[in-house]
Amino acid sequence: MPSTSLPTIQADDEWSQLRAVIVGRAANSCFPSEPLHMIQATMPEQYHGHFQPNSHFPKYVLQKADAELDQLANVLQQDGIKVYRPDDVDWYAVGGYTAAMPRDGLITVGNTIIEAPFSWRSRKREIDLAYSGILTELASDGHLTIVRAPKIVGTDTIYDDVGKPQGGLVDGKYPWAVNNSRPAFDAADFMRFGKVLIGQYSNVTNAKGVEYLRACVPDGYTVEMLEVDDPHAMHIDATILPLKRGLLVYNPLRTSETALRRHSVLHDWELHPYPFVPKKRDSPPLFMTSEWLCMNVLSISETKVVVEEKDVEFAEWIRQFGIEPILLPLQHVHSIGGSFHCATVDLVRDCGGS
Ligand code: DAV
């Protein structure tokens, strides 16, 4: 019976021993089609032309990406971690994007799984279509709360009047690509530090979205917003990386020790700027992200972290903190939007005494 074999859903941080996880699927992924101003705000310039309705990623990229995700799932399973996989979806048929980036759409906070109220129209049905099977199975755990995203009745207003002076300025310094007319966030704009979540405003996360998340987290949890200097901001998981309790790595081009120290949960942490600029790779193309994906790792525990096998510089650098990098291939998944952190959702971690 699933209810007896399942560990109870509970995850409060990014680093404690992982017990259960969702690993995404790449098959049939399509370039997301969004208004040009959103693509311009968030996607690398040389690939803007790909983000059209019904535009497929190259077949070889998707085939190899699925082989990489299957290998990741196998390695995690062999390590005793329970792995869930999304359903197959024909994203072309539904005008959607992918099931390879579950971190954007779901976040586990304590005993609650929260579905993101996506900004992107191409992602609104993503959780329903690809993850309903997993959520139904998990719901047999009587201790778990699942908060599904609110349904928009009528026309979505999130892109109305963006670009007009008052339109996009929702919070932070930049005229973001969405307005603040309804709650919107991507779950990957937040990281968990015990009872505190630290997030960022971005081109997909607005002020109402943050208020909505605050209302969804279980009692005793709070959401704080980090000052991030990045006009292209979309997802915080290549900007900060808590590797273990008390030790965080950050991207010094986007945030600073001063900004991080404002969060009392980090006041006694070691904060390390990543000292190298990651190298750009053209093949397979990074259609959707920056080269800072080297920081987008999945922690199995405070001493074991999954790192992309070509990111040797990063892998070697984290050894000084007593962390063993597990090197696995994921470059074709990078090509469609993210690395190990993006491609997974942790459901159960042994988070004692956060
Ligand atoms: O390019 O820094 C990486 C995370 C994508 N989900 C970037 C964003």
Side-chain angles (χ1 to χ4, degrees):
M1 290 292 289
S3 54
T4 51
S5 61
L6 272 179
T8 298
I9 302 303
Q10 177 81 30
D12 268 358
D13 63 41
E14 309 284 330
W15 57 81
S16 293
Q17 174 65 52
L18 186 63
R19 300 285 178 197
V21 69
I22 301 173
V23 172
R25 256 186 222 293
N28 303 312
S29 300
C30 291
F31 283 95
S33 165
E34 294 297 322
L36 183 61
H37 79 276
M38 172 60 84
I39 300 304
Q40 287 170 337
T42 56
M43 296 293 124
E45 196 174 347
Q46 70 265 43
Y47 301 119
H48 285 176
H50 289 281
F51 293 82
Q52 303 292 336
N54 301 326
S55 166
H56 282 285
F57 288 101
K59 220 181 201 116
Y60 82 94
V61 168
L62 297 185
Q63 278 167 354
K64 291 190 174 179
D66 264 330
E68 291 164 353
L69 290 165
D70 290 348
Q71 185 180 353
L72 171 64
N74 284 337
V75 167
L76 295 172
Q77 264 159 350
Q78 279 159 21
D79 211 28
I81 297 163
K82 180 147 177 72
V83 175
Y84 296 82
R85 306 297 305 274
D87 297 330
D88 270 324
V89 177
D90 183 351
W91 297 108
Y92 185 88
V94 300
Y97 162 38
T98 192
M101 301 289 135
R103 183 78 61 177
D104 303 345
L106 294 169
I107 184 167
T108 310
V109 182
N111 67 344
T112 300
I113 298 177
I114 301 164
E115 178 186 0
F118 281 119
S119 297
W120 285 12
R121 58 193 183 195
S122 58
R123 305 196 75 171
K124 292 216 182 94
R125 296 171 65 203
E126 194 173 298
I127 299 302
D128 249 345
L129 292 167
Y131 304 92
S132 287
I134 297 173
L135 294 178
T136 303
E137 186 180 346
L138 297 179
S140 65
D141 171 357
H143 156 97
L144 171 69
T145 301
I146 299 176
V147 183
R148 300 298 310 267
K151 278 206 170 26
I152 295 163
V153 177
T155 313
D156 191 357
T157 51
I158 197 85
Y159 290 134
D160 288 0
D161 295 331
V162 170
K164 291 196 180 155
Q166 80 288 8
L169 277 170
V170 292
D171 221 314
K173 300 179 196 158
Y174 298 107
W176 301 119
V178 292
N179 63 31
N180 194 33
S181 62
R182 56 113 174 143
F185 71 77
D186 275 17
D189 268 330
F190 299 87
M191 290 254 183
R192 296 146 309 155
F193 296 78
K195 293 287 192 286
V196 178
L197 281 75
I198 295 182
Q200 66 175 12
Y201 296 105
S202 77
N203 286 293
V204 292
T205 292
N206 64 15
K208 279 192 177 161
V210 175
E211 286 312 310
Y212 171 74
L213 178 60
R214 287 186 173 127
C216 294
V217 293
D219 285 349
Y221 289 77
T222 55
V223 181
E224 300 178 359
M225 301 308 284
L226 177 68
E227 188 185 338
V228 171
D229 191 4
D230 178 10
H232 303 294
M234 182 174 135
H235 305 159
I236 201 168
D237 50 359
T239 298
I240 56 172
L241 166 61
L243 273 175
K244 55 168 123 173
R245 184 182 309 277
L247 195 150
L248 178 139
V249 176
Y250 64 94
N251 174 339
L253 304 185
R254 295 183 183 167
T255 192
S256 63
E257 173 159 358
T258 310
L260 289 158
R261 288 277 179 230
R262 281 187 205 124
H263 299 269
S264 56
V265 72
L266 301 177
H267 82 272
D268 58 349
W269 280 44
E270 283 182 42
L271 304 174
H272 294 276
Y274 185 57
F276 308 109
V277 176
K279 287 182 191 62
K280 270 201 188 307
R281 279 194 296 262
D282 292 331
S283 175
L286 282 180
F287 289 120
M288 297 186 64
T289 68
S290 77
E291 57 282 12
W292 284 88
L293 275 188
C294 63
M295 283 178 52
N296 192 267
V297 300
L298 176 70
S299 292
I300 291 180
S301 71
E302 293 191 288
T303 56
K304 239 168 39 173
V305 168
V306 188
V307 178
E308 214 290 328
E309 65 180 12
K310 294 277 195 326
D311 291 329
V312 178
E313 192 171 55
F314 183 84
E316 290 307 312
W317 184 74
I318 62 174
R319 281 185 192 278
Q320 67 182 298
F321 306 122
I323 290 168
E324 181 200 345
I326 316 285
L327 294 175
L328 287 177
L330 210 74
Q331 287 198 54
H332 298 84
V333 179
H334 287 195
S335 207
I336 60 175
S339 194
F340 294 101
H341 196 260
C342 296
T344 54
V345 177
D346 29 287
L347 298 171
V348 182
R349 286 189 186 269
D350 292 344
C351 308
S354 295

